[in-house]
Each structure stands twice: as C-alpha cells, then as structure tokens.
C-alpha cells in the first residue's frame, strides 16, 4: 500500500506517511462560510491538533480532506497527488481519481459509525478484502493483531451492539488502521464518550502516535492529550487559522485574544 | 360440522387452483422484488433525470387500479404489440409484478433512507464503491425496516392474484367457480353445497396461504436480526498472530 | 421532543366549532354531495353508442369521445360505491380499533381475528360471499350495489382500524398520564385529549385508503355493478374494441388517484409541521 508504481499515488515518506497540503480552500454551506481561503500544511508523519470553538468549521477541514464534503474552490494535495484534481493539477478530478487518492486517507468519527450487522473483526476486514484486494486470511490475521493492539482481541466476534462506547471507538480506530492509510483523521473521537471511557481511547491514540508513522490530524477538546502528543496545535476560528505553533506555545503564550478566551473556557472544566 | 366441508373431489380441484395461485404469486413476487430494488435505488440517484423516471414509474404503478392494469395487459397489450397468442399467465404475472414494484420501490427507498448517514460516511472513509456500500452496508441494515411492510405487500399481491380468475385463469378463485358450477351438471355425484360454503372454504384457504407468507417473512426477519448479534466460533489465538508478525 | 397538548382548550372564550357558519356550510355541502351521488349512482345503466369504431384504426379518437358520456355515468356508480363504502369503513373501522384495544380478551381476540381474516383474504371472494353466498344460504338478498358498498366498507374498515390504532399509539404516553392526573373522565379523555391528536396522524393513511378503495371498487363488476369495469367490458364485448375502453378507464383512474395521492402527501407535510 505504501509503495506504488502508479504516478498518481501520493508520494509517501519511507515511514508510510504523506503530507497534506491545503491551498486557498473555500467551503460554504449556503450563506454560511465555513472555510475561508484556507491554507494549511501538514508534514509527513506530523501530528497536528486542531482546536477552536464549536461550529467554527474545524470538523469541516477533516471532512473535505475525507471528501465527505466537496470544496468550493482551492486545492488539497495528499503527498504529491492532488485530491480534487487530476494529476496535472488543474482539471477537476473524476470519481476514479478521487477514489485513488482517497484510498490513502482514513478517518475515525465522533459517533463511531461501526457497521452494526458485522462483528468487530468483520468491520475491520471489510475494506482490506473488498477494496484493497487483501486475501481474507491475511486480513483476518492483521485484524486480530490490531484488535490485540487496542486491547479488544477477546471481542473479535462481538457486534457493536454488545460493546461499550470506548470499545466501539477502539474498534473504529482499528478499522481505519487496517487499510494502512498515509493520513489519519480523527474527528472529536472522545466527545461522545462517557468521561470514564475517554482514557482508554486516548491511550490507544497515544500508542498510535508513538509507534505508528502515519500523519495524524485530530480535532479535539482534550488539551492534556494535545500537549502530550501533538507536534503542532492549530487554533481555528471563523473559517481561518488564527494561529499555529507547538503545544506549549499555543497553550502557554497564545498571541490572539480569542485563543486565550477559548483556552480559558475549555480548560476551566 | 360437516355441513361446512366440501367433498374431497371438490377440495382436490380447489387445491389445484391454490397451487396455481401460489405459482402466479411466485412469478409476480420475483418481478415485483426486482423492480422494487431497481427503482427504489434509482429513486435516490444523484441524477435528476434518473430520479424522475423512477418517480414516474412508481407513481404510475401505484396510481393505476390493479384490475384495470390486468385487463389492459390481458386484452389490450397483445393487440397493441401484435402478439395475439401471448401467454396469459405471463401477462398476468407482469401486471401484478408491475403493480407490486411501485409500492415495493417506496418501501425500499424508505428503508435505505432509514439507515443513518454515518454509515454512508464510514463507507466513504473506507473507500467502498457505491455498489459495495449498497450491498454490504446499506441494504443489510435497511432490511429490518423493509421486511415487515414487504410482507404486507406480498399478502396484498396474494389477494390480487384472485383477480386473474376474471381473465379466465384457473386459480383458487377460478377453481371455486368451476367446482361450484360443476354441481349443476347432470353427471355430478356427491353432496351439493351452497355457494356460501364454497366461499367460506375458499376464504379460509386464502387465509392459510397468507399466514404461511407471514411465517416466512418472520423467519427471514429473525435471520436478519441474528446478524446483529455476536458470531459463534473460535477466535484465533492471539499469541500466534502476534508471534508471527514480530 | 414531546408534543404539546395542542388540543386543550385555551382559557379565553372562543366560538365553538359548531357555532361557526363554515362548519354548517361544509356539512350541508357534504350531505348534498352524498345525496347527488346516491341518485346518480343507483341508476340502472346500459351502455349504447351510436358511433361505430373504425376497424382499421387501433385507436379511434371520435369513437373514444363518443364513449365519454357513458364513462362518466359509469364513474358515478363507481364513485357512489367508493364514497359510501368508505364512510362505512371509517365508522366501522373506529369501532374495530376500539374493540382491538379492549382490556377484555373476549372482545379483543375475536376482533383481532376478524380483522386479520378479512385483511388477508381477497375482496373479490368477500363480494361473492355477500352477493351470491348469503343469498344461497340465508334469506338475505343484497343488491349488487349494496353488496359492493358493504364489502368495501368491511374490507377497508380493517385497514382503517389499523390507521386509527397507529394514530392512537402515536399520542405520547404523557397525554394519558396528564389526563389521569387531571382526573378526567374516560369519555372526556378520549374526546378532548386523545382523539383530536390521534386523528390528524391517521388522516394521511385514511386518505390513502380512500384512494385504494376507489381503485378496488371496479371489482363490483364481478357481481354485476354497472360501474367503470362493467362499462369497459360491455363496450369491448359489444364493439370488439378492447383497447379504447380499458385505456380510457386506466387513464381515468390515474387522473383521479395521482392528484389525490399528491394532495394527501401535502396534507401529511402540513400535519407534521403543526406537530412540531
């Protein structure tokens, strides 16, 4: 998956991660401008945490990278491969092209979105087998390894209905890891969990950040986690990046008043 | 009360008719389910023209009276298409199937819409094709919502099969007429029964078939529900898996 | 989101629905409609035409036009049976729904059984039973129209009872509890709290059953009702033209049921807006 002769495959670093480059990205829902001429660069293997007020559009950043929403204008590049354009960089992409580049991106959702009619293992092996042509045995073995890594090997045959929120989210993480993506997106993955279950998921994320090599972009309110794991924290508000820096820079010495007040409000809990 | 029961030979005739009823129900059902799937999905297409065509079909198929459609298929279509020898059973099945498809498409569409958006988004994130998403993710979950009304619809089609007796096919209703009128023949042997007794017997027979359909659908629903529960079976020992990869 | 108790009376004095002139105008118009329908629908019709169809054409427009008056007459019979049958269904269906909800097993089981039996079996056989069957075994003799109206009424009463049941079940449990807390009599609970909320929810389904009843009413021709199917088969038999009459009534049905279905959908949307 990480080595490919196809000229359209995003170039990944030797560690299996790809850069994400967003240029002049605009996205509006009706009159509501959510992404306003956005520029964002993420290096291969970088861990970027995006913070900001609710409704500021930070989730939309992840969603347009995952192509759940389409951008109105601008460009997004994964590695060296444009996502919304053909290889020449200007012709709008067709569905085939989008699928090619998208196969290198994975996402974990706030509400898990596991397939309820499949077991944990089946959830994990579906994409490798059906989309990436991996043999079933190999996929199941890899899937069991991932389940073991997230601490849920015993639950391989359980369906999501029988799992707790934290367990579901860990399965969801394993599911997106199974396709070995070069870029992983995490959309408020602990926000829907009961407080006592948040820790187990954050633990898994930390393990991935330490061992794994993929580029990670996370939208989260978990500041402690951001401080430990992030290479860079980006403050996002009203469609634009307000400021960006290392965790200690942003959290201890924010430049903008809005960042300050936001952090105060979030850290007050 | 033996007064309510028919003669064995009469029952035999009715059972032959009932068998034909089940057959024509089967043909109509197959066509109906096929049309329902196709047009139910097309109704949700991104393409406006495709959506419009699908809507036209479902509106037409639901708006027309089944008996009128049956008569048009049986009497008008062969002449319009220049096929006077066309198979009446086939035409009747097509009429009933077309009718069923209109209602079934709405059921399928409703079922697909009932699946949460997050399932679609997860499928996109995993890069499944649209067909894969429909087959593996959406439809299996939509089934829970689709099956009960589909069962009711199938029973409605069962009731519709009685209409084919009016175009000369010998289903259960047609067999009733033959058996009852056969009592007027001078060669008739056995007890003669009133029309009321015949009607009641036939009603009961339809009722039995309907309950059988109900049972089949319930079984199917239970099988679908089972998919949402944990799998039985051995899990491969984790130690081996880890040892092999490291 | 819980629904408001939208039916409870405001404290302000307002004109009861019975005092408003619109109500009476509507009632009078409706009764007049029923009477006209009855007069038109109970005529004994024969269908004759002076225009001979052209045997060389598959579709003969002047011929079709000449058939329209007869078709309209036949329509009045079919419409008559549909409307009267539906009125019976709406009333009978309500009692069936109540019977099904009865606390007593002696009532609810037979009623449920009856509903299930009638719903699962063909209307055609039920019509045969009412018209031929009863006449053969009892002193009861129904005319064709009577048997059709009775048959439609009973058959669709079972559907309507389901619609009422769904409507009643859709009223939030809290409404019942509030009524108990206010110590309302059962009759008051029903007439002032439950039914006013249940009926709007049931209306779209009832409307659909009216349209369905209209499409089923032509079955009456199997028991000699001189409605639209009788018109079509008579014309076909007499003039040997199967295409025009059947397509005419086919289009006729579409012309009625498509706008009706559209109206019902609009009604459904308006009702769901009010509920929120």
């Amino acid at each position: 998956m990480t080595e490919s002769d196809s000229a359209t495959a995003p170039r990944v670093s030797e560690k299996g991660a790809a850069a994400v480059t967003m240029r002049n990205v605009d996205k509006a829902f009706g009159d509501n401008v959510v992404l306003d001429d956005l520029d964002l660069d993420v290096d291969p293997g970088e861990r970027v945490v995006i913070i900001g007020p609710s409704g500021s559009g930070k989730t939309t950043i992840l969603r347009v990278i995952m192509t759940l929403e389409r951008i109105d204008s601008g460009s997004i590049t994964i590695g060296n491969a444009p996502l919304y354009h053909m290889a020449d960089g200007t012709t709008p992409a067709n569905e085939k092209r989008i699928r090619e580049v998208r196969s290198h991106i994975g996402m974990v959702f706030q509400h898990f979105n596991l397939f309820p009619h499949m077991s944990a293992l089946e959830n994990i092996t579906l994409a490798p087998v059906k989309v990436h042509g991996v043999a079933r045995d190999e996929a199941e073995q890899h899937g069991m390894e991932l389940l073991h890594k997230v601490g849920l090997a015993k639950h391989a045959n359980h369906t999501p209905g029988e799992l707790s929120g934290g367990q579901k989210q860990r399965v969801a993480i394993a599911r997106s890891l199974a396709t070995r993506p070069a870029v992983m997106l995490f959309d408020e993955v602990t926000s829907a969990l009961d407080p006592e279950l948040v820790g187990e998921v954050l633990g898994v994320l930390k393990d991935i950040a330490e061992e794994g090599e993929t580029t990670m972009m996370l939208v989260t309110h978990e500041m402690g986690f951001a401080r430990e794991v992030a290479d860079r924290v980006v403050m996002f508000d009203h469609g634009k990046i307000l400021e960006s820096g290392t965790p200690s820079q942003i959290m201890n010495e924010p430049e903008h008043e809005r960042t300050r007040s936001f952090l105060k409000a979030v850290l007050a809990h | 009360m033996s007064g309510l029961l028919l003669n064995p030979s009469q029952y035999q005739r009715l059972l032959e008719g009932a068998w034909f009823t089940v057959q024509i129900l089967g043909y109509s059902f197959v066509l109906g389910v096929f049309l329902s799937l196709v047009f139910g999905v097309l109704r949700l297409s991104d393409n406006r023209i495709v959506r419009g065509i699908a809507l036209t079909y479902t509106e037409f198929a639901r708006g027309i009276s089944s008996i009128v459609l049956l008569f048009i298929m049986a009497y008008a279509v062969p002449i319009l298409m220049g096929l006077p020898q066309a198979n009446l059973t086939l035409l009747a099945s097509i009429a009933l199937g077309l009718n069923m498809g209109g209602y079934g498409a709405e059921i399928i569409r409703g079922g697909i819409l009932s699946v949460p958006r997050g399932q679609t988004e997860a499928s996109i994130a995993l890069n499944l094709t649209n067909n894969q998403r429909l087959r593996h993710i959406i439809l299996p979950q939509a089934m829970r919502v689709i099956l009960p009304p589909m069962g009711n619809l199938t029973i409605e089609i069962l009731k519709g099969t009685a209409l084919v007796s009016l175009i000369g096919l010998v289903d259960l209703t047609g067999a009733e007429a033959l058996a009852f009128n056969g009592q007027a023949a001078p060669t008739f042997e056995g007890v003669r029964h009133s029309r009321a007794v015949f009607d009641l017997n036939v009603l009961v027979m339809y009722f039995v078939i309907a309950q059988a359909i109900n049972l089949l659908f319930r079984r199917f629903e239970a099988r679908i529900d089972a998919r949402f529960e944990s799998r039985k079976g051995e899990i491969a020992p984790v130690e081996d898996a880890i040892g092999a990869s490291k | 989101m819980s629904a408001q108790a939208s039916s409870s009376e405001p404290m302000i004095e307002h004109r009861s629905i019975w005092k408003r002139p619109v109500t009476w105008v509507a009632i009078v118009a409706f009764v007049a409609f029923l009477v006209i329908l009855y007069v038109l629908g109970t005529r004994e019709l024969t269908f004759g035409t002076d225009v001979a169809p052209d045997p060389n054409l598959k579709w003969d427009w002047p011929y079709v036009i000449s058939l329209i008056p007869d078709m309209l007459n036949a329509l009045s019979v079919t419409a008559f049976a549909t409307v009267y049958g539906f009125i019976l269904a709406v009333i009978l269906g309500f009692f069936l729904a109540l019977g099904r909800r009865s606390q007593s097993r002696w009532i609810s089981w037979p009623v449920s059984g009856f509903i299930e039996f009638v719903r699962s079996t063909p209307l055609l056989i039920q019509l045969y039973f009412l018209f031929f069957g009863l006449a053969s075994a009892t002193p009861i003799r129904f005319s064709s129209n009577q048997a059709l109206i009775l048959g439609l009424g009973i058959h669709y009463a079972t559907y309507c009872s389901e619609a009422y049941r769904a409507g009643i079940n859709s009223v939030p449990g809290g409404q019942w509890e509030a009524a108990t807390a206010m110590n309302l009599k059962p009759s008051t609970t029903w007439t002032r709290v439950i039914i006013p909320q249940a009926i709007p929810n049931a209306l779209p389904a009832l409307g659909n059953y009216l349209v369905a009843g209209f499409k089923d009413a032509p079955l009456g021709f199997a028991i000699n009702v001189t409605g639209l199917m009788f018109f079509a088969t008579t014309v076909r038999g007499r003039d040997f033209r199967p295409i025009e009459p059947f397509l005419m009534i086919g289009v006729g049905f579409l012309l009625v049921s498509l706008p009706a279905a559209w109206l019902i959908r609009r009604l459904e949307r308006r009702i769901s807006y009010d509920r929120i």
Side-chain angles (χ1 to χ4, degrees), chain B residues 62-63 65 103 156 159 199, chain C residues 119 129 136 155 159 215 257:
Chain B
R62 294 192 303 164
S65 165
Y103 294 100
E156 293 296 312
K159 289 154 61 177
D199 288 335
Chain C
R119 256 179 44 161
F129 178 72
S136 73
H155 195 86
Y159 291 126
K215 290 188 286 179
S257 60

Side-chain angles (χ1 to χ4, degrees), chain A residues 27 40 58-59 61 86 90 94 119 121 125 142 151 157 168 189 232 250 265 267:
Chain A
K27 177 68 188 170
L40 178 62
K58 41 192 210 301
T59 295
I61 297 178
M86 306 300 288
T90 39
N94 55 20
S119 70
L121 186 59
T125 57
H142 184 53
N157 279 348
K168 282 196 277 226
V189 299
R232 184 154 56 107
I250 295 291
L267 292 170

Side-chain angles (χ1 to χ4, degrees), chain A residues 64-81:
Chain A
V64 295
I65 296 176
M66 194 68 250
T67 71
L68 296 173
E69 318 276 0
R70 301 290 161 107
I71 57 178
D72 294 335
S73 66
S75 72
I76 299 182
T77 310
I78 310 292
N80 65 341

Side-chain angles (χ1 to χ4, degrees), chain B residues 146-164:
Chain B
I146 286 174
L147 281 180
M150 261 308 185
N152 285 336
L153 179 60
T154 307
I155 293 182
E156 293 296 312
I157 302 299
L158 166 68
K159 289 154 61 177
T161 60
L163 301 179
V164 305

Side-chain angles (χ1 to χ4, degrees), chain B residues 55 59-68 71-72 75-76 79-82 103 152 155-156 158-160 162-163 165-166 173 176 180 194-197 199-200 202-204 206-207 210-211 214, chain C residues 58 113 116-126 128-130 132-134 136-137 155 159 214-216 218-219 221-222 229 233 236 242-243 246-247 249-251 253-254 257-258 261-262 265:
Chain B
L55 181 65
E59 288 298 292
F60 165 82
R62 294 192 303 164
I64 196 147
S65 165
S66 352
I67 183 167
V68 174
F71 270 69
I72 290 178
Y75 296 127
I79 298 186
L80 279 172
M81 308 197 52
Y103 294 100
N152 285 336
I155 293 182
E156 293 296 312
L158 166 68
K159 289 154 61 177
L163 301 179
S165 62
L166 299 171
T173 310
E176 179 197 3
F180 176 71
S194 69
R195 182 64 195 245
V197 171
D199 288 335
L200 287 172
V202 168
L203 284 173
V204 168
Y206 273 108
F207 185 67
Q211 294 314 307
N214 261 336
Chain C
K58 280 208 174 141
E116 190 61 30
F117 187 76
V118 171
R119 256 179 44 161
S120 318
T121 51
L123 174 62
L124 184 60
I125 313 286
Q126 292 163 10
Y128 285 155
F129 178 72
L130 289 170
F132 296 121
L134 286 180
S136 73
H155 195 86
Y159 291 126
F214 178 63
K215 290 188 286 179
D216 262 349
L219 257 59
F221 101 104
M229 274 301 291
T233 50
R236 165 177 169 254
I243 301 180
F246 288 123
L247 284 183
I249 63 175
V251 168
F253 273 102
L254 286 175
S257 60
L258 288 180
W262 178 78
R265 269 200 295 268

